[in-house]
Amino acid sequence: MAPIQNSAVVFAEIPSGYPEVGKHIKYVKDRTIDLDTVDIQGGIVTKNLVISIDPYMRGRMRSAEKKSYSAPFELNQPLANFFVGKVVKTDNSKFNIGQYVYGFGNYEEYTIHIKAQADLLRILRDEELQLGLSLTTWVGAAGMPGQTAYHGFYHIGEPKKDETIFITGASGAVGQIVGQLAKREGLKVIGSAGSDDKVKWLQTELNFDHAFNYKTSDVKAELAKFDPLNIYFDNVGGDQLEAALDAAANYARFIECGMISQYNQADSHGIRNLMNIVGKRLKLQGFIILDKARDASFQQEFYSKVPKWIANGELKIKEDVTKGLEKAPEALVGIFQGKNFGKAVIQIADD
Ligand SMILES: NC(=O)c1ccc[n+]([C@@H]2O[C@H](COP(=O)([O-])OP(=O)(O)OC[C@H]3O[C@@H](n4cnc5c(N)ncnc54)[C@H](OP(=O)(O)O)[C@@H]3O)[C@@H](O)[C@H]2O)c1
């Protein structure tokens, strides 16, 4: 077989503020792969079907010298993130052609996973595929963002019935799952989002007790309408974190999941009311869900429950699927402007 096209989205330049399409992130068509001759070193080749867009990718768009919890993207190489692909070539007895795998892949049509990388991939089992979820969901509610919601809410939040929780970024990939888990456990759920459509969806489809548009409302005044917060699930940081500190009950738990309002800022927003932590005896805990990737007991707990809850409709999911790798740069930049409504995913190919 002759070499075939292997288009990609590459990291072209380090941004200082918001990344720009065509400048910092570029779609490139002039790459090829020869599936007959490619050297896979005990690994596999996948045809990539769906790939996730996640806010933490902004943190990987940095210079190689800066240290952080995730590796920097390499200049002029494809972006990488959680994906689902189909095995099209294997030199590894663990994998068969035609299997679907989940894990780290590249923003390209085909990826070579050498043995060490292939060993980290999770094969989607037949009984999981029979649940009938879309492949996009395995990188969303049944993948890393779902794990983030589940771990943060249950293991850090220590929720109790009738408590009040406030979730920012509430219509997003993580927030929508946290809100539904909280309703399921009998909590009063308040959420904020950046458009009236998103707010309406939280109220009418997910039955949040209260939701508001943080861009057009006074966040402190909205929170003052309710009981003090027992749990704050923080996806955004900044002003809303400050408002949550003022609205917290004694002994509230702050689940520090992310601070997207700060990711494109040169200077971080200073939080002015941290003394609340002392006076109210608050617990603030950050976490990185990747730490749980090799925790077999957590993986078992998550995968034995959440995909089934999605399949039987106990958990509703909203996804924002963009078709075509060439549209990925725009979709990626869009999440930092709130353009996605639901979990942002790229559909690279149908099968
Ligand atoms: N700790 C971990 O291991 C972990 C894992 C996964 C995700 N996270 C974090 O969790 C958070 C949510 O991630 P996600 O995947 O669920 O993303 P997402 O909500 O699906 O997408 C990002 C959303 O953030 C909101 N946003 C963008 N800029 C904002 C700003 N300046 N202020 C307030 N909101 C803004 C937008 O919604 P609006 O229209 O509502 O503004 C946008 O749609 C992020 O902070 C992410 O980094 C952490």
Side-chain angles (χ1 to χ4, degrees):
M1 207 200 283
I4 51 172
Q5 176 176 291
N6 192 15
S7 67
V9 175
V10 299
F11 179 42
E13 194 181 315
I14 300 168
S16 55
Y18 283 89
E20 289 171 37
V21 175
K23 183 167 192 254
H24 306 107
I25 309 164
K26 276 188 189 158
Y27 172 70
V28 290
K29 279 205 293 205
D30 58 345
R31 300 168 80 246
T32 58
I33 184 168
D34 187 334
L35 293 177
D36 289 333
T37 58
V38 67
D39 177 13
I40 52 179
Q41 304 168 37
I44 61 171
V45 179
T46 53
K47 179 179 182 195
N48 302 336
L49 303 176
V50 302
I51 194 152
S52 184
I53 297 181
D54 294 286
Y56 87 101
M57 293 172 75
R58 176 64 185 85
R60 299 186 67 182
M61 295 176 204
R62 65 176 196 273
S63 79
E65 295 84 59
K66 275 197 197 161
K67 297 274 172 266
S68 183
Y69 65 89
S70 58
F73 289 131
E74 247 182 86
L75 282 168
N76 301 314
Q77 293 301 314
L79 301 178
N81 199 14
F82 292 94
F83 88 119
V84 172
K86 195 171 180 175
V87 179
V88 292
K89 183 165 180 158
T90 174
D91 185 24
N92 183 318
S93 57
K94 203 178 132 193
F95 297 92
N96 297 321
I97 295 211
Q99 281 176 327
Y100 294 95
V101 292
Y102 163 79
F104 268 107
N106 293 340
Y107 270 60
E108 60 188 350
E109 291 174 86
Y110 295 90
T111 296
I112 302 161
H113 308 261
I114 60 168
K115 185 174 182 314
Q117 294 159 338
D119 284 343
L120 297 175
L121 296 173
R122 182 177 190 277
I123 299 166
L124 295 184
R125 299 192 310 268
D126 286 346
E127 59 269 33
E128 291 179 325
L129 292 170
Q130 280 154 14
L131 291 171
L133 307 185
S134 160
L135 290 183
T136 51
T137 305
W138 291 101
V139 298
M144 186 279 279
Q147 293 180 13
T148 303
Y150 186 98
H151 172 65
F153 176 68
Y154 282 113
H155 298 163
I156 299 178
E158 300 165 22
K160 292 167 207 69
K161 191 171 180 301
D162 294 327
E163 286 190 329
T164 299
I165 184 172
F166 173 43
I167 305 157
T168 45
S171 70
V174 176
Q176 62 177 266
I177 303 302
V178 176
Q180 292 179 83
L181 294 176
K183 287 298 293 179
R184 193 187 164 92
E185 299 298 335
L187 279 77
K188 279 168 271 176
V189 181
I190 307 170
S192 70
S195 79
D196 292 346
D197 283 352
K198 292 178 180 180
V199 167
K200 190 170 168 210
W201 179 73
L202 293 171
Q203 287 170 318
T204 56
E205 292 293 322
L206 300 192
N207 298 319
F208 275 41
D209 297 278
H210 184 59
F212 61 89
N213 181 341
Y214 70 88
K215 291 181 179 164
T216 54
S217 318
D218 176 341
V219 179
K220 288 190 182 182
E222 291 294 329
L223 295 179
K225 292 178 188 168
F226 283 83
D227 290 341
L229 309 176
N230 305 105
I231 305 180
Y232 172 48
F233 197 106
D234 192 8
N235 282 319
V236 309
D239 292 342
Q240 295 198 78
L241 168 57
E242 215 171 87
L245 283 164
D246 277 348
N250 284 345
Y251 301 102
R253 285 82 66 198
F254 276 49
I255 306 162
E256 291 304 325
C257 176
M259 300 199 177
I260 195 169
S261 70
Q262 308 300 301
Y263 296 174
N264 294 293
Q265 307 297 331
D267 288 318
S268 299
H269 182 289
I271 303 294
R272 295 164 295 189
N273 54 355
L274 290 173
M275 185 58 198
N276 277 307
I277 300 171
V278 181
K280 295 179 178 176
R281 297 83 151 173
L282 306 180
K283 180 178 101 172
L284 278 82
Q285 188 177 331
F287 69 103
I288 297 297
I289 198 61
L290 289 177
D291 296 347
K292 290 278 161 193
R294 304 284 140 230
D295 177 340
S297 123
F298 173 73
Q299 294 291 319
Q300 155 69 16
E301 180 182 350
F302 177 81
Y303 281 110
S304 64
K305 291 179 179 173
V306 173
K308 284 187 195 128
W309 291 344
I310 300 166
N312 69 21
E314 283 177 71
L315 276 182
K316 293 185 188 173
I317 51 164
K318 187 162 183 68
E319 296 178 345
D320 192 328
V321 181
T322 300
K323 292 206 169 190
L325 197 53
E326 69 284 2
K327 301 207 185 89
E330 203 175 10
L332 172 52
V333 169
I335 68 166
F336 299 107
Q337 295 148 356
K339 289 190 178 156
N340 61 309
F341 188 170
K343 168 68 196 130
V345 192
I346 302 297
Q347 177 103 42
I348 300 175
D350 288 336
D351 200 51

